[in-house]
Amino acid sequence: MHKIFLGAASVVAILLAITLLLRVPVARLGGRKKSAMNEEPTHKQSTARLDTSTQLAYERTYLAHERTLMGWVRTAISLISFGFTIAKVFELLREKHGEEATLLGPRVIGIIMIGTGLVALALATMQHRRALRVMHERYPELPPSLAGVMAAFFALVGILALFSVILRMR
């Protein structure tokens, strides 16, 4: 019962931390927002239509931000899955051969790798959201981020993997 309470408390703490990380406001400069990309104050675009080359430049930059976040998602998935695999495979080997637990065993290494993947994913998502917020201020016709949806999905998968390893569920 004690493990279940600690597991539930850990889930709530991690979800709260991720939520807070994803909602960090953009820094302020003299009451005006700063760009997350170049630290210059941003201004609302006028309602005048942008020329074609400027629109394409915004769209290329938007797609570059999406590709960057997807690269971080791939990295986080690798860390999470490798950490989960290390923890579970060596746990099964330990049960089969009855080895003694060490200070920094495979379970701890797995938890560290999964946690590192989740932190990397949260930080990359936070940076991505800041950059897209600035871009949407300047060019509101940009679509919503699908890479952000994928990042949120894999963060949930990573949290489930973390608690599976923590609670030693199979």
Side-chain angles (χ1 to χ4, degrees), residues 43-54:
H43 304 285
K44 291 281 186 188
Q45 283 286 343
S46 64
T47 57
R49 187 94 176 133
L50 297 174
D51 65 346
T52 304
S53 64
T54 305

Side-chain angles (χ1 to χ4, degrees), residues 3 8 23 26 50-51 58 70 76 82 92 95 102 104 109 111 117 121 124 135 157 169:
K3 284 185 178 180
R23 293 180 183 217
V26 175
L50 297 174
D51 65 346
Y58 275 113
M70 288 307 293
F82 194 55
L92 292 175
E95 288 176 3
T102 59
L104 195 60
I109 291 173
I111 290 171
L121 190 57
M135 288 189 64
V157 170
M169 294 173 17

Side-chain angles (χ1 to χ4, degrees), residues 29 78 91 108 137 156:
L29 175 66
S78 298
E91 180 181 319
V108 173
E137 286 177 3
L156 180 62

Side-chain angles (χ1 to χ4, degrees), residues 7-168:
S10 299
V11 169
V12 170
I14 288 176
L15 289 176
L16 181 61
I18 289 174
T19 303
L20 290 175
L21 281 175
L22 295 179
R23 293 180 183 217
V24 173
V26 175
R28 299 283 178 171
L29 175 66
R32 293 186 295 183
K33 288 186 178 181
K34 291 192 301 184
S35 166
M37 294 180 278
N38 60 11
E39 300 298 323
E40 294 176 6
T42 61
H43 304 285
K44 291 281 186 188
Q45 283 286 343
S46 64
T47 57
R49 187 94 176 133
L50 297 174
D51 65 346
T52 304
S53 64
T54 305
Q55 288 177 353
L56 291 174
Y58 275 113
E59 291 172 8
R60 280 191 304 271
T61 304
Y62 168 80
L63 291 173
H65 283 292
E66 291 285 292
R67 284 190 303 272
T68 301
L69 181 59
M70 288 307 293
W72 277 106
V73 167
R74 283 190 304 271
T75 302
I77 290 170
S78 298
L79 285 166
I80 291 166
S81 61
F82 194 55
F84 183 78
T85 303
I86 286 175
K88 289 301 179 179
V89 166
F90 284 104
E91 180 181 319
L92 292 175
L93 289 175
R94 180 175 289 159
E95 288 176 3
K96 186 176 182 181
H97 298 292
E99 295 178 16
E100 239 178 72
T102 59
L103 176 64
L104 195 60
R107 182 171 172 262
V108 173
I109 291 173
I111 290 171
I112 290 171
M113 290 183 72
I114 293 169
T116 302
L118 287 171
V119 168
L121 190 57
L123 292 174
T125 303
M126 183 176 66
Q127 187 275 334
H128 178 73
R129 288 183 55 151
R130 284 181 182 170
L132 287 188
R133 187 178 309 128
V134 170
M135 288 189 64
H136 277 285
E137 286 177 3
R138 296 177 182 177
Y139 185 55
E141 289 85 24
L142 290 173
S145 174
L146 294 178
V149 173
M150 294 303 296
F153 172 73
F154 285 112
L156 180 62
V157 170
I159 290 169
L160 293 175
L162 181 66
F163 288 110
S164 175
V165 171
I166 289 174
L167 299 176
R168 294 184 181 203

